[in-house]
Amino acid sequence: MLARPAGLLLGASLLLAAAPALAIGSVEKGDYSLEAIGGARLTGVYLHYPDVPLFFPETDSGLAAAVLRLLLDGDLGPYVDYDVNLYADFSYAPAALTGGTFATVGSFETPYRTTYLSWDFLDSRGMEGQMGVDRFSFNLEVDRVSLTFGRFPVNYTTTNIFTPNDFFAPFSPTAINQMYKPGVDAIQMGVTTGMLSTVELVGVMGYGTDDVPAWGRSALLARLSTILWNFEWALLGGKVAERWIVGASLQGELGPFGVRAEGHAGFPDAHGDFKLDDHDRDGGYLDDIHGRLAVGFDYMHAWQNLSISAEYMYVSDGADRTSLYLTRFTSFYPDDVPFMGRHYVGLSAGLEIIPILRFNAMALFNTTDYSGLASMMLLYNIADEIDAMLGVLVPWGEEPVEDLGPPTHEPSIESEFGLMPLMLFLEMRFYF
């Protein structure tokens, strides 16, 4: 079983190694310019699952992925610039791990991207191939007004580990590669109302079945921000897929510490695709009105470029006991990061061992079931345009139970991170 992903990764590596070094370069003429950059990401992962055949038919498996990108950006006159990100994505992955920690651009599932800008050219025996447009946007800036339209990333988060205010194709907290946040089909306008204040409006197109635009899965948000007492304060409100939200965030410095917080209250949209009577709202895992909050701090020191972060997150619509986890699986909103519990703690730290070698570590804890996931990785800068990452992700927690016994004989999830496999990974990144 491991031969197929290993072969895919090796073949992509040899293809890149055999290719000549391409200097794509740049062109500039007056107010018009074009810069082209190429990039490649190769990922190989060994997976060891808990020995629970009902949930995991095999105990050992593998994942391999190769993502090639062509990045174009430049100016179209004195007021307009553009950004284009084209990709080719090849992957082999178990169905349960097509996103999350090792998400690639082709594995993101979001209601805010039309499928007409992507092409699936391979789908056979676990191997998938896709080409498409990750970003294609134009930005106009005149005096205090900016206007961006097309496909581009939209992100209103301020926290580092948990990001409840990131509503559009958010990364998992354990994602090992967060360099290119996926773009969504949107239009965004910003107006600077003062020296330190800004108003932003964003509309994001949502799509239902058969890629038909749907109001119930679209978004329309307003954000007001200002700087006061060395903190950025922001209010956020409007509609996202299948719910209305109102939220706030802050970020700033308090002595040697960075302080961050964000959160929102959500109100299910009865007129969208999400119907209130489709879910049992008395089970403690999904309320009519729900709240999500993340708070934390970070600390940075010049010694070895040390960085430390700690955050707490509360998810009111998460399950308050493990017996509701299976039901919780069916109650996530579009673009939700799938947290099953209510209370989480996250810790992360990093430092430079030498200037070209950095060590990063992170741990997540679910305080409902006392399970967790720890990751440790080394990032080595081989050359100016080549990076290598080697790491391990180790979960702990009670393993699933295949049969609770009479009278139901149903399976049971005993902990959230007890569902995760042990993962060893190697990733290479090339730029040309």
Side-chain angles (χ1 to χ4, degrees):
M1 182 60 69
L2 292 177
R4 190 180 300 136
L8 177 63
L9 184 63
L10 178 60
S13 300
L14 294 175
L15 182 62
L16 284 173
L22 300 178
I24 299 180
S26 61
V27 177
E28 184 173 353
K29 186 175 182 179
D31 293 327
Y32 298 86
S33 65
L34 167 67
E35 182 176 8
I37 300 173
R41 170 191 174 191
L42 304 178
T43 306
V45 187
Y46 164 73
L47 308 164
H48 178 71
Y49 291 93
D51 187 14
V52 186
L54 178 64
F55 288 86
F56 311 107
E58 54 190 4
T59 57
D60 296 288
S61 185
L63 177 152
V67 180
L68 309 179
R69 291 181 184 265
L70 174 62
L71 312 175
L72 308 172
D73 64 74
D75 299 313
L76 293 175
Y79 303 111
V80 181
D81 59 72
Y82 62 92
D83 180 23
V84 180
N85 187 324
L86 310 177
Y87 70 89
D89 186 321
F90 308 84
S91 65
Y92 170 88
L97 281 177
T98 54
T101 301
F102 301 101
T104 62
V105 60
S107 68
F108 269 91
E109 295 184 1
T110 173
Y112 302 113
R113 288 164 66 110
T114 177
T115 60
Y116 289 119
L117 294 181
S118 63
W119 172 49
D120 296 322
F121 61 86
L122 176 64
D123 187 1
S124 175
R125 303 179 66 181
M127 300 182 65
E128 296 183 354
Q130 185 182 96
M131 300 178 66
V133 179
D134 192 22
R135 302 180 187 180
F136 196 121
S137 65
F138 298 90
N139 182 62
L140 169 67
E141 292 192 18
V142 179
D143 297 328
R144 295 187 174 187
V145 178
S146 66
L147 179 67
T148 304
F149 60 93
R151 174 171 287 186
F152 56 93
V154 178
N155 188 5
Y156 292 125
T157 190
T158 60
T159 46
N160 292 321
I161 302 174
F162 305 112
T163 57
N165 282 6
D166 189 0
F167 303 103
F168 308 105
F171 286 113
S172 165
T174 60
I176 65 170
N177 190 321
Q178 301 187 17
M179 295 187 62
Y180 298 106
K181 181 173 171 59
V184 293
D185 302 339
I187 182 169
Q188 183 180 55
M189 183 177 69
V191 179
T192 302
T193 57
M195 291 292 293
L196 302 173
S197 301
T198 302
V199 176
E200 286 186 6
L201 299 174
V202 61
V204 187
M205 180 64 72
Y207 304 90
T209 57
D210 299 325
D211 214 35
V212 176
W215 167 248
R217 295 169 69 85
S218 297
L220 183 62
L221 292 177
R223 183 178 186 265
L224 293 77
S225 64
T226 189
I227 305 294
L228 182 64
W229 304 317
N230 292 325
F231 276 79
E232 182 197 54
W233 307 78
L235 296 175
L236 181 70
K239 182 191 180 305
V240 295
E242 301 181 356
R243 64 204 187 277
W244 294 81
I245 63 99
V246 57
S249 66
L250 68 87
Q251 60 180 331
E253 305 294 326
L254 192 61
F257 298 100
V259 178
R260 304 172 185 274
E262 66 180 58
H264 68 270
F267 307 84
D269 179 15
H271 301 290
D273 299 330
F274 185 83
K275 305 302 182 184
L276 297 182
D277 57 359
D278 285 347
H279 299 270
D280 172 16
R281 296 183 174 277
D282 298 322
Y285 60 90
L286 185 61
D287 300 323
D288 287 350
I289 300 174
H290 59 271
R292 303 179 185 180
L293 172 69
V295 296
F297 74 90
D298 52 74
Y299 174 76
M300 301 187 67
H301 196 278
W303 179 79
Q304 303 296 104
N305 283 329
L306 173 69
S307 63
I308 300 173
S309 296
E311 289 182 9
Y312 162 79
M313 181 175 68
Y314 172 68
V315 183
S316 75
D317 52 330
D320 59 0
R321 54 191 182 274
T322 59
S323 61
L324 295 173
Y325 278 178
L326 281 175
T327 310
R328 172 65 171 157
F329 267 126
T330 66
S331 61
F332 293 114
Y333 291 103
D335 270 5
D336 261 347
V337 176
F339 290 105
M340 292 195 291
R342 288 194 175 183
H343 302 277
Y344 292 86
V345 175
L347 304 171
S348 68
L351 58 84
E352 286 184 356
I353 300 174
I354 57 176
I356 60 173
L357 181 63
R358 184 170 181 83
F359 171 77
N360 291 324
M362 185 181 69
L364 302 179
F365 304 92
N366 178 335
T367 64
T368 299
D369 57 37
Y370 305 108
S371 66
L373 176 69
S375 68
M376 293 170 285
M377 62 191 73
L378 291 171
L379 179 61
Y380 179 47
N381 180 222
I382 299 174
D384 287 343
E385 308 298 338
I386 304 176
D387 293 323
M389 180 183 292
L390 176 67
V392 58
L393 285 86
V394 181
W396 67 88
E398 294 292 326
E399 295 183 356
V401 175
E402 295 191 72
D403 189 344
L404 289 177
T408 62
H409 292 284
E410 293 181 349
S412 173
I413 300 175
E414 299 298 308
S415 71
E416 177 171 6
F417 295 108
L419 287 169
M420 298 287 290
L422 170 71
M423 294 173 270
L424 303 174
F425 66 90
L426 172 65
E427 179 162 299
M428 301 287 294
R429 303 169 186 170
F430 305 84
Y431 307 93
F432 48 86

